[in-house]
Amino acid sequence: MGPSQEDSSVVAESITIIDNRTGNQLEIPIDRGGVAASEWSKLLPGIWFYDPGFVSTAACESTITYLDGDEGILRYRGYPIEDLAENSTYLEVAYLLLRGELPTVEEFDAWHHEITMHTFIHENVRKRFLEGFHYDAHPMGMLVSAVAALSTFYLDAKEIFDPASRHKQITRLIAKMPTLAAAAHRFSVGMPFVYPDNSLDFCSNFLSMMWKVAEPRFDANPVLTRALDILFILHADHEQNCSTTAMRVVGSSHSDPYSACAAACAALYGPRHGGANEAVIRMLTEIGSIENVPAFVDSVKQGTGGRLQGFGHRVYKSYDPRAKIIKRTADQVFEITGKNPLLDIALKLEEIALSDEYFTSRRLYPNVDFYSGLIYQAMGFPLEMFPVLFAIPRTAGWLAHWQEMLDQDSKIARPRQLYAGAEERPYVPIGSR
Ligand code: ACO
Protein backbone atom coordinates (compact mmCIF):
# COMPACT_ATOMS: atom_id res chain seq x y z
CA MET A 1 0.00 0.00 0.00
CA GLY A 2 1.43 3.43 -0.94
CA PRO A 3 1.46 6.55 1.26
CA SER A 4 -1.89 8.21 1.91
CA GLN A 5 -2.96 11.66 3.11
CA GLU A 6 -4.12 10.15 6.44
CA ASP A 7 -0.73 8.57 7.09
CA SER A 8 1.91 11.02 5.89
CA SER A 9 4.61 9.27 7.95
CA VAL A 10 4.72 6.36 5.45
CA VAL A 11 7.59 7.05 3.04
CA ALA A 12 7.29 5.66 -0.47
CA GLU A 13 10.07 3.21 -1.38
CA SER A 14 10.73 5.03 -4.63
CA ILE A 15 12.47 7.99 -6.20
CA THR A 16 11.04 10.52 -8.64
CA ILE A 17 13.24 11.90 -11.37
CA ILE A 18 12.38 15.04 -13.33
CA ASP A 19 13.84 15.93 -16.70
CA ASN A 20 14.18 19.70 -16.29
CA ARG A 21 14.45 20.15 -20.05
CA THR A 22 10.92 18.86 -20.62
CA GLY A 23 9.32 18.79 -17.19
CA ASN A 24 8.57 15.06 -17.67
CA GLN A 25 8.94 12.98 -14.55
CA LEU A 26 9.01 9.33 -13.61
CA GLU A 27 8.68 7.46 -10.33
CA ILE A 28 11.03 4.49 -9.98
CA PRO A 29 10.62 1.91 -7.19
CA ILE A 30 13.59 1.24 -4.89
CA ASP A 31 14.02 -2.52 -4.80
CA ARG A 32 16.52 -4.09 -2.34
CA GLY A 33 18.51 -0.87 -2.20
CA GLY A 34 18.65 -0.36 -5.96
CA VAL A 35 16.79 1.35 -8.77
CA ALA A 36 16.53 -0.21 -12.23
CA ALA A 37 18.52 1.64 -14.87
CA SER A 38 16.06 0.29 -17.47
CA GLU A 39 13.34 2.37 -15.76
CA TRP A 40 15.58 5.45 -15.80
CA SER A 41 16.13 4.95 -19.54
CA LYS A 42 12.37 5.17 -20.16
CA LEU A 43 12.51 8.85 -19.16
CA LEU A 44 16.08 9.59 -20.19
CA PRO A 45 17.18 7.41 -23.12
CA GLY A 46 20.79 8.17 -24.11
CA ILE A 47 21.66 9.77 -20.75
CA TRP A 48 24.23 7.56 -19.07
CA PHE A 49 25.27 7.16 -15.44
CA TYR A 50 28.86 8.35 -15.11
CA ASP A 51 30.31 5.89 -12.61
CA PRO A 52 34.03 5.12 -13.08
CA GLY A 53 35.06 2.11 -11.01
CA PHE A 54 31.39 1.09 -10.68
CA VAL A 55 31.36 2.74 -7.27
CA SER A 56 27.57 3.21 -7.30
CA THR A 57 26.55 0.53 -9.76
CA ALA A 58 24.98 -2.85 -8.99
CA ALA A 59 25.97 -4.87 -12.06
CA CYS A 60 23.86 -7.92 -11.28
CA GLU A 61 21.53 -9.69 -8.90
CA SER A 62 23.25 -12.37 -6.86
CA THR A 63 22.28 -14.90 -4.21
CA ILE A 64 25.83 -15.97 -3.33
CA THR A 65 27.43 -13.56 -0.87
CA TYR A 66 25.99 -10.89 1.40
CA LEU A 67 28.28 -8.06 2.45
CA ASP A 68 27.51 -5.09 4.66
CA GLY A 69 30.59 -2.89 4.65
CA ASP A 70 29.30 -0.47 7.30
CA GLU A 71 28.51 -3.20 9.81
CA GLY A 72 31.42 -5.48 8.86
CA ILE A 73 29.16 -8.42 7.92
CA LEU A 74 30.09 -11.13 5.43
CA ARG A 75 27.93 -14.20 4.72
CA TYR A 76 28.16 -16.94 2.12
CA ARG A 77 24.68 -18.15 1.13
CA GLY A 78 23.41 -16.77 4.44
CA TYR A 79 26.05 -18.40 6.67
CA PRO A 80 28.20 -15.93 8.67
CA ILE A 81 31.88 -16.04 7.72
CA GLU A 82 32.81 -16.45 11.39
CA ASP A 83 30.68 -19.61 11.61
CA LEU A 84 32.15 -21.08 8.44
CA ALA A 85 35.74 -20.25 9.46
CA GLU A 86 35.15 -21.93 12.80
CA ASN A 87 33.36 -25.07 11.64
CA SER A 88 33.69 -25.68 7.92
CA THR A 89 36.38 -26.57 5.39
CA TYR A 90 37.29 -24.88 2.12
CA LEU A 91 35.97 -27.78 0.05
CA GLU A 92 32.63 -27.72 1.85
CA VAL A 93 32.45 -23.93 1.40
CA ALA A 94 33.21 -24.34 -2.32
CA TYR A 95 30.26 -26.75 -2.54
CA LEU A 96 28.07 -24.26 -0.66
CA LEU A 97 29.02 -21.36 -2.92
CA LEU A 98 28.44 -23.40 -6.07
CA ARG A 99 25.27 -25.26 -5.09
CA GLY A 100 23.66 -22.90 -2.60
CA GLU A 101 23.36 -25.43 0.25
CA LEU A 102 25.75 -27.20 2.58
CA PRO A 103 26.27 -30.82 1.47
CA THR A 104 25.01 -33.89 3.31
CA VAL A 105 27.65 -36.46 4.30
CA GLU A 106 27.02 -38.45 1.10
CA GLU A 107 27.08 -35.33 -1.07
CA PHE A 108 30.31 -34.14 0.50
CA ASP A 109 31.98 -37.55 0.10
CA ALA A 110 31.04 -37.62 -3.58
CA TRP A 111 32.29 -34.01 -4.07
CA HIS A 112 35.53 -34.72 -2.24
CA HIS A 113 36.08 -37.84 -4.33
CA GLU A 114 35.39 -35.99 -7.57
CA ILE A 115 37.79 -33.17 -6.72
CA THR A 116 40.47 -35.65 -5.67
CA MET A 117 40.12 -37.50 -8.98
CA HIS A 118 40.83 -34.31 -10.94
CA THR A 119 43.94 -33.02 -9.19
CA PHE A 120 46.40 -34.22 -11.84
CA ILE A 121 47.32 -31.96 -14.75
CA HIS A 122 48.15 -33.10 -18.28
CA GLU A 123 51.86 -33.83 -18.53
CA ASN A 124 52.18 -31.35 -21.39
CA VAL A 125 50.90 -28.53 -19.19
CA ARG A 126 53.83 -29.05 -16.89
CA LYS A 127 56.61 -30.33 -19.14
CA ARG A 128 56.07 -28.27 -22.24
CA PHE A 129 54.12 -25.30 -21.01
CA LEU A 130 55.16 -24.44 -17.43
CA GLU A 131 58.75 -25.48 -17.94
CA GLY A 132 58.95 -23.17 -20.94
CA PHE A 133 58.87 -20.10 -18.71
CA HIS A 134 61.96 -18.10 -17.91
CA TYR A 135 63.62 -19.25 -14.65
CA ASP A 136 62.56 -16.12 -12.74
CA ALA A 137 58.96 -15.94 -14.00
CA HIS A 138 56.49 -14.70 -11.38
CA PRO A 139 54.33 -17.68 -10.29
CA MET A 140 51.15 -15.60 -10.63
CA GLY A 141 52.04 -14.78 -14.23
CA MET A 142 52.61 -18.51 -14.76
CA LEU A 143 49.25 -19.31 -13.17
CA VAL A 144 47.35 -16.79 -15.31
CA SER A 145 48.84 -18.32 -18.46
CA ALA A 146 48.47 -21.94 -17.32
CA VAL A 147 44.79 -21.51 -16.49
CA ALA A 148 44.17 -19.97 -19.92
CA ALA A 149 46.13 -22.81 -21.54
CA LEU A 150 43.83 -25.39 -19.93
CA SER A 151 41.09 -24.31 -22.33
CA THR A 152 43.15 -25.81 -25.15
CA PHE A 153 43.35 -29.13 -23.31
CA TYR A 154 39.60 -29.43 -22.61
CA LEU A 155 37.76 -28.62 -25.79
CA ASP A 156 34.45 -29.71 -24.21
CA ALA A 157 34.74 -26.57 -22.05
CA LYS A 158 33.07 -24.62 -24.84
CA GLU A 159 29.80 -26.45 -24.08
CA ILE A 160 28.95 -23.97 -21.37
CA PHE A 161 25.21 -24.67 -21.47
CA ASP A 162 25.64 -28.43 -21.11
CA PRO A 163 25.21 -29.08 -17.36
CA ALA A 164 27.50 -32.14 -17.37
CA SER A 165 30.31 -30.31 -19.16
CA ARG A 166 29.91 -27.25 -16.97
CA HIS A 167 30.14 -29.38 -13.84
CA LYS A 168 33.24 -31.14 -15.15
CA GLN A 169 35.08 -27.89 -15.90
CA ILE A 170 34.18 -26.50 -12.46
CA THR A 171 35.51 -29.66 -10.81
CA ARG A 172 38.67 -29.57 -12.91
CA LEU A 173 39.40 -25.94 -12.16
CA ILE A 174 38.93 -26.23 -8.39
CA ALA A 175 40.95 -29.46 -8.28
CA LYS A 176 43.82 -28.38 -10.54
CA MET A 177 44.38 -24.91 -9.16
CA PRO A 178 46.58 -26.11 -6.22
CA THR A 179 48.51 -28.40 -8.59
CA LEU A 180 49.22 -25.55 -11.01
CA ALA A 181 50.06 -23.21 -8.13
CA ALA A 182 52.54 -25.62 -6.54
CA ALA A 183 54.03 -26.48 -9.95
CA ALA A 184 54.66 -22.76 -10.61
CA HIS A 185 56.42 -22.46 -7.26
CA ARG A 186 58.54 -25.60 -7.68
CA PHE A 187 59.66 -24.45 -11.11
CA SER A 188 60.61 -20.99 -9.86
CA VAL A 189 62.85 -22.45 -7.13
CA GLY A 190 64.30 -25.20 -9.31
CA MET A 191 62.68 -28.07 -7.42
CA PRO A 192 61.16 -31.11 -9.16
CA PHE A 193 57.40 -31.20 -9.59
CA VAL A 194 55.49 -33.18 -6.94
CA TYR A 195 52.50 -35.17 -8.14
CA PRO A 196 49.25 -34.86 -6.18
CA ASP A 197 48.84 -37.33 -3.31
CA ASN A 198 45.21 -38.40 -3.49
CA SER A 199 45.30 -39.92 0.00
CA LEU A 200 45.48 -36.39 1.43
CA ASP A 201 42.79 -33.78 1.92
CA PHE A 202 42.68 -30.63 -0.23
CA CYS A 203 44.97 -28.40 1.84
CA SER A 204 47.36 -31.17 3.00
CA ASN A 205 47.79 -32.21 -0.61
CA PHE A 206 48.63 -28.65 -1.63
CA LEU A 207 51.22 -28.37 1.15
CA SER A 208 52.68 -31.71 0.09
CA MET A 209 53.04 -30.51 -3.50
CA MET A 210 54.66 -27.33 -2.20
CA TRP A 211 57.15 -28.70 0.29
CA LYS A 212 57.78 -32.42 -0.23
CA VAL A 213 61.42 -33.27 -0.85
CA ALA A 214 62.41 -36.96 -0.73
CA GLU A 215 60.14 -38.40 1.94
CA PRO A 216 57.59 -40.99 0.69
CA ARG A 217 54.68 -39.00 2.11
CA PHE A 218 54.55 -35.40 3.29
CA ASP A 219 52.33 -34.85 6.32
CA ALA A 220 51.95 -31.15 7.07
CA ASN A 221 51.52 -29.91 10.63
CA PRO A 222 47.73 -30.10 11.23
CA VAL A 223 47.68 -26.60 12.79
CA LEU A 224 49.20 -25.15 9.62
CA THR A 225 46.87 -27.18 7.39
CA ARG A 226 43.88 -25.91 9.34
CA ALA A 227 45.17 -22.32 9.20
CA LEU A 228 45.49 -22.59 5.43
CA ASP A 229 41.98 -24.05 5.24
CA ILE A 230 40.64 -21.09 7.22
CA LEU A 231 42.46 -18.63 4.97
CA PHE A 232 41.00 -20.42 1.95
CA ILE A 233 37.48 -20.16 3.44
CA LEU A 234 37.95 -16.44 4.06
CA HIS A 235 39.15 -15.84 0.51
CA ALA A 236 36.61 -18.06 -1.27
CA ASP A 237 34.25 -15.26 -2.28
CA HIS A 238 33.66 -11.57 -1.84
CA GLU A 239 30.77 -10.74 -4.18
CA GLN A 240 31.46 -8.27 -7.02
CA ASN A 241 35.17 -7.57 -6.41
CA CYS A 242 37.49 -6.71 -9.29
CA SER A 243 38.44 -10.29 -10.25
CA THR A 244 34.90 -11.64 -9.93
CA THR A 245 33.68 -8.77 -12.08
CA ALA A 246 36.37 -9.72 -14.62
CA MET A 247 35.08 -13.31 -14.51
CA ARG A 248 31.49 -12.19 -15.08
CA VAL A 249 32.41 -9.69 -17.79
CA VAL A 250 34.54 -12.14 -19.78
CA GLY A 251 32.05 -14.96 -19.12
CA SER A 252 29.24 -12.77 -20.42
CA SER A 253 30.69 -13.11 -23.92
CA HIS A 254 30.20 -16.91 -23.47
CA SER A 255 33.90 -17.69 -23.56
CA ASP A 256 34.92 -20.96 -21.89
CA PRO A 257 35.43 -20.99 -18.09
CA TYR A 258 39.23 -21.42 -18.30
CA SER A 259 39.61 -18.24 -20.38
CA ALA A 260 37.25 -16.34 -18.07
CA CYS A 261 39.08 -17.68 -15.02
CA ALA A 262 42.44 -16.62 -16.48
CA ALA A 263 41.03 -13.09 -16.83
CA ALA A 264 39.92 -13.20 -13.19
CA CYS A 265 43.41 -14.38 -12.16
CA ALA A 266 44.92 -11.51 -14.13
CA ALA A 267 42.70 -9.03 -12.29
CA LEU A 268 43.76 -10.57 -8.99
CA TYR A 269 47.43 -10.16 -9.91
CA GLY A 270 47.35 -6.38 -9.36
CA PRO A 271 48.64 -4.80 -6.12
CA ARG A 272 45.31 -3.07 -5.48
CA HIS A 273 43.60 -6.46 -5.26
CA GLY A 274 45.31 -9.85 -4.77
CA GLY A 275 48.80 -8.39 -4.64
CA ALA A 276 48.06 -6.33 -1.54
CA ASN A 277 49.36 -8.81 1.06
CA GLU A 278 52.66 -9.00 -0.81
CA ALA A 279 52.74 -5.19 -0.72
CA VAL A 280 52.06 -5.29 3.05
CA ILE A 281 55.13 -7.43 3.72
CA ARG A 282 57.30 -5.22 1.52
CA MET A 283 55.99 -2.17 3.37
CA LEU A 284 56.60 -3.70 6.83
CA THR A 285 60.08 -4.79 5.78
CA GLU A 286 60.84 -1.30 4.53
CA ILE A 287 59.63 0.26 7.79
CA GLY A 288 62.11 -2.05 9.51
CA SER A 289 61.38 -1.38 13.19
CA ILE A 290 58.67 -0.14 15.55
CA GLU A 291 60.47 3.20 16.10
CA ASN A 292 60.05 4.04 12.40
CA VAL A 293 56.27 3.52 12.41
CA PRO A 294 55.18 7.09 13.39
CA ALA A 295 57.37 8.67 10.71
CA PHE A 296 56.03 6.21 8.15
CA VAL A 297 52.41 6.99 9.07
CA ASP A 298 53.19 10.70 8.70
CA SER A 299 54.63 10.14 5.23
CA VAL A 300 51.45 8.27 4.21
CA LYS A 301 49.34 11.16 5.46
CA GLN A 302 51.47 13.68 3.59
CA GLY A 303 51.19 11.60 0.43
CA THR A 304 54.94 10.98 0.14
CA GLY A 305 55.00 7.42 1.55
CA GLY A 306 52.38 5.87 -0.72
CA ARG A 307 49.34 4.15 0.75
CA LEU A 308 49.17 2.17 3.93
CA GLN A 309 49.02 -1.27 2.34
CA GLY A 310 46.42 -3.65 3.77
CA PHE A 311 44.32 -0.71 4.90
CA GLY A 312 41.10 0.53 3.36
CA HIS A 313 38.51 -1.20 1.26
CA ARG A 314 36.06 -0.12 -1.39
CA VAL A 315 33.18 -1.70 0.52
CA TYR A 316 34.25 -2.15 4.15
CA LYS A 317 34.07 1.09 6.02
CA SER A 318 34.64 -0.66 9.33
CA TYR A 319 36.97 -3.48 10.44
CA ASP A 320 37.01 -6.21 7.77
CA PRO A 321 35.47 -9.27 9.56
CA ARG A 322 37.99 -11.51 7.80
CA ALA A 323 40.89 -9.52 9.26
CA LYS A 324 39.61 -10.27 12.79
CA ILE A 325 39.56 -14.04 12.12
CA ILE A 326 42.98 -13.91 10.47
CA LYS A 327 44.48 -12.12 13.46
CA ARG A 328 43.41 -15.03 15.69
CA THR A 329 44.67 -17.59 13.18
CA ALA A 330 48.02 -15.80 13.08
CA ASP A 331 48.52 -16.42 16.81
CA GLN A 332 47.95 -20.17 16.33
CA VAL A 333 50.35 -20.32 13.39
CA PHE A 334 53.07 -18.37 15.21
CA GLU A 335 52.91 -20.88 18.08
CA ILE A 336 54.16 -23.48 15.60
CA THR A 337 56.41 -21.42 13.35
CA GLY A 338 57.65 -18.84 15.84
CA LYS A 339 56.51 -15.23 15.66
CA ASN A 340 56.94 -13.38 12.42
CA PRO A 341 59.31 -10.54 13.36
CA LEU A 342 57.20 -8.14 11.28
CA LEU A 343 54.16 -8.73 13.52
CA ASP A 344 55.15 -6.12 16.09
CA ILE A 345 55.53 -3.49 13.39
CA ALA A 346 52.11 -4.44 12.00
CA LEU A 347 50.47 -4.21 15.43
CA LYS A 348 52.04 -0.81 16.08
CA LEU A 349 51.00 0.42 12.66
CA GLU A 350 47.43 -0.69 13.29
CA GLU A 351 47.40 0.90 16.74
CA ILE A 352 48.63 4.27 15.46
CA ALA A 353 46.43 4.28 12.35
CA LEU A 354 43.27 3.38 14.27
CA SER A 355 43.73 6.33 16.57
CA ASP A 356 44.70 8.82 13.85
CA GLU A 357 42.12 11.23 12.47
CA TYR A 358 43.41 10.84 8.88
CA PHE A 359 42.50 7.15 8.86
CA THR A 360 39.41 7.23 11.08
CA SER A 361 37.81 10.12 9.16
CA ARG A 362 38.30 8.19 5.89
CA ARG A 363 37.11 5.01 7.60
CA LEU A 364 40.29 3.14 6.73
CA TYR A 365 40.66 -0.10 8.71
CA PRO A 366 42.81 -3.20 8.24
CA ASN A 367 41.52 -5.42 5.45
CA VAL A 368 41.94 -9.18 4.95
CA ASP A 369 45.42 -8.67 3.54
CA PHE A 370 46.94 -6.81 6.45
CA TYR A 371 47.65 -10.01 8.41
CA SER A 372 47.34 -12.82 5.83
CA GLY A 373 50.80 -12.12 4.40
CA LEU A 374 52.39 -12.45 7.83
CA ILE A 375 50.88 -15.93 8.18
CA TYR A 376 51.90 -17.00 4.70
CA GLN A 377 55.42 -15.74 5.26
CA ALA A 378 55.70 -17.54 8.61
CA MET A 379 54.52 -20.73 6.88
CA GLY A 380 57.39 -20.41 4.43
CA PHE A 381 55.60 -19.17 1.33
CA PRO A 382 57.66 -16.74 -0.76
CA LEU A 383 56.06 -13.32 -1.35
CA GLU A 384 55.46 -14.05 -5.03
CA MET A 385 53.15 -16.90 -4.03
CA PHE A 386 50.74 -14.69 -2.08
CA PRO A 387 48.42 -13.77 -4.96
CA VAL A 388 48.58 -17.40 -6.08
CA LEU A 389 47.41 -18.48 -2.62
CA PHE A 390 44.49 -16.07 -3.03
CA ALA A 391 43.60 -17.41 -6.48
CA ILE A 392 43.29 -21.04 -5.34
CA PRO A 393 40.22 -20.54 -3.11
CA ARG A 394 38.76 -17.57 -5.02
CA THR A 395 38.31 -19.97 -7.96
CA ALA A 396 35.24 -21.36 -6.15
CA GLY A 397 33.73 -17.87 -5.92
CA TRP A 398 34.58 -17.01 -9.52
CA LEU A 399 32.93 -20.19 -10.76
CA ALA A 400 29.86 -19.73 -8.57
CA HIS A 401 29.38 -16.26 -10.08
CA TRP A 402 30.10 -17.48 -13.60
CA GLN A 403 27.49 -20.19 -13.26
CA GLU A 404 24.96 -17.80 -11.73
CA MET A 405 25.56 -15.27 -14.51
CA LEU A 406 24.96 -17.90 -17.21
CA ASP A 407 21.79 -19.11 -15.49
CA GLN A 408 20.51 -15.54 -15.35
CA ASP A 409 20.75 -15.38 -19.14
CA SER A 410 22.55 -12.08 -18.66
CA LYS A 411 23.43 -9.69 -21.44
CA ILE A 412 27.01 -9.31 -22.68
CA ALA A 413 28.77 -6.74 -20.49
CA ARG A 414 29.04 -3.59 -22.55
CA PRO A 415 29.05 -0.29 -20.66
CA ARG A 416 28.73 3.14 -22.26
CA GLN A 417 31.17 6.05 -22.06
CA LEU A 418 31.04 9.83 -21.97
CA TYR A 419 33.14 10.80 -24.96
CA ALA A 420 35.61 13.58 -24.07
CA GLY A 421 37.85 13.52 -27.15
CA ALA A 422 38.35 15.69 -30.25
CA GLU A 423 35.52 16.85 -32.50
CA GLU A 424 35.54 15.54 -36.08
CA ARG A 425 38.65 16.70 -37.98
CA PRO A 426 40.16 15.84 -41.36
CA TYR A 427 43.13 13.48 -41.72
CA VAL A 428 46.42 15.35 -42.29
CA PRO A 429 49.02 13.53 -44.44
CA ILE A 430 52.21 12.78 -42.48
CA GLY A 431 54.36 15.13 -44.55
CA SER A 432 52.05 18.08 -43.80
CA ARG A 433 51.93 17.74 -39.97
N1 ACO B 1 46.38 4.45 2.89
C1 ACO B 1 46.24 5.80 2.94
N2 ACO B 1 45.18 6.45 2.44
C2 ACO B 1 44.22 5.73 1.85
C3 ACO B 1 44.29 4.33 1.76
C4 ACO B 1 45.41 3.69 2.31
N3 ACO B 1 45.55 2.37 2.27
N4 ACO B 1 43.19 3.87 1.13
C5 ACO B 1 42.46 4.94 0.82
N5 ACO B 1 43.08 6.07 1.26
C6 ACO B 1 42.57 7.44 1.19
C7 ACO B 1 42.70 8.00 -0.22
O1 ACO B 1 43.93 8.70 -0.41
C8 ACO B 1 41.52 8.92 -0.28
O2 ACO B 1 41.83 10.08 0.45
P1 ACO B 1 41.30 11.52 -0.06
O3 ACO B 1 39.81 11.46 0.08
O4 ACO B 1 41.97 12.52 0.83
O5 ACO B 1 41.74 11.66 -1.50
C9 ACO B 1 40.44 8.19 0.54
O6 ACO B 1 41.18 7.37 1.46
C10 ACO B 1 39.53 7.29 -0.32
O7 ACO B 1 40.36 6.43 -1.10
P2 ACO B 1 39.91 5.80 -2.49
O8 ACO B 1 41.12 5.46 -3.30
O9 ACO B 1 38.90 6.70 -3.15
O10 ACO B 1 39.16 4.50 -2.03
P3 ACO B 1 38.82 3.25 -2.92
O11 ACO B 1 37.59 2.67 -2.36
O12 ACO B 1 38.82 3.61 -4.37
O13 ACO B 1 40.08 2.28 -2.70
C11 ACO B 1 41.45 0.51 -2.02
C12 ACO B 1 40.04 1.10 -2.03
C13 ACO B 1 41.97 0.36 -3.47
C14 ACO B 1 41.42 -0.86 -1.40
C15 ACO B 1 42.38 1.46 -1.22
O14 ACO B 1 41.90 1.60 0.10
C16 ACO B 1 43.83 1.01 -1.22
O15 ACO B 1 44.56 1.32 -2.16
N6 ACO B 1 44.27 0.27 -0.16
C17 ACO B 1 45.62 -0.25 -0.09
C18 ACO B 1 45.74 -1.49 -0.93
C19 ACO B 1 45.02 -2.67 -0.30
O16 ACO B 1 45.15 -2.96 0.88
N7 ACO B 1 44.26 -3.40 -1.16
C20 ACO B 1 43.57 -4.62 -0.71
C21 ACO B 1 42.09 -4.46 -0.82
S1 ACO B 1 41.30 -5.89 -0.17
C22 ACO B 1 41.36 -7.04 -1.37
O17 ACO B 1 41.43 -6.82 -2.52
C23 ACO B 1 41.34 -8.41 -0.93
Side-chain angles (χ1 to χ4, degrees), residues 74 76 90 97 174 177 231-244 247 261 264 268 273 313 322 368 387-401:
L74 175 62
Y76 297 161
Y90 165 65
L97 290 169
I174 290 178
M177 217 57 170
L231 285 162
F232 280 3
I233 292 170
L234 300 182
H235 284 90
D237 193 46
H238 211 231
E239 50 117 300
Q240 310 308 320
N241 55 87
C242 180
S243 56
T244 303
M247 182 87 190
C261 208
L268 191 63
H273 190 14
H313 197 276
R322 301 167 300 172
V368 67
V388 176
L389 290 162
F390 195 158
I392 295 172
R394 186 53 61 88
T395 303
W398 291 333
L399 291 166
H401 283 273

Side-chain angles (χ1 to χ4, degrees), residues 272-273 276 307-312 314 358 362 364 367 369:
R272 280 171 152 187
H273 190 14
R307 289 195 162 188
L308 184 45
Q309 298 300 326
F311 257 68
R314 169 61 59 79
Y358 175 93
R362 289 171 177 77
L364 299 169
N367 60 48
D369 285 326

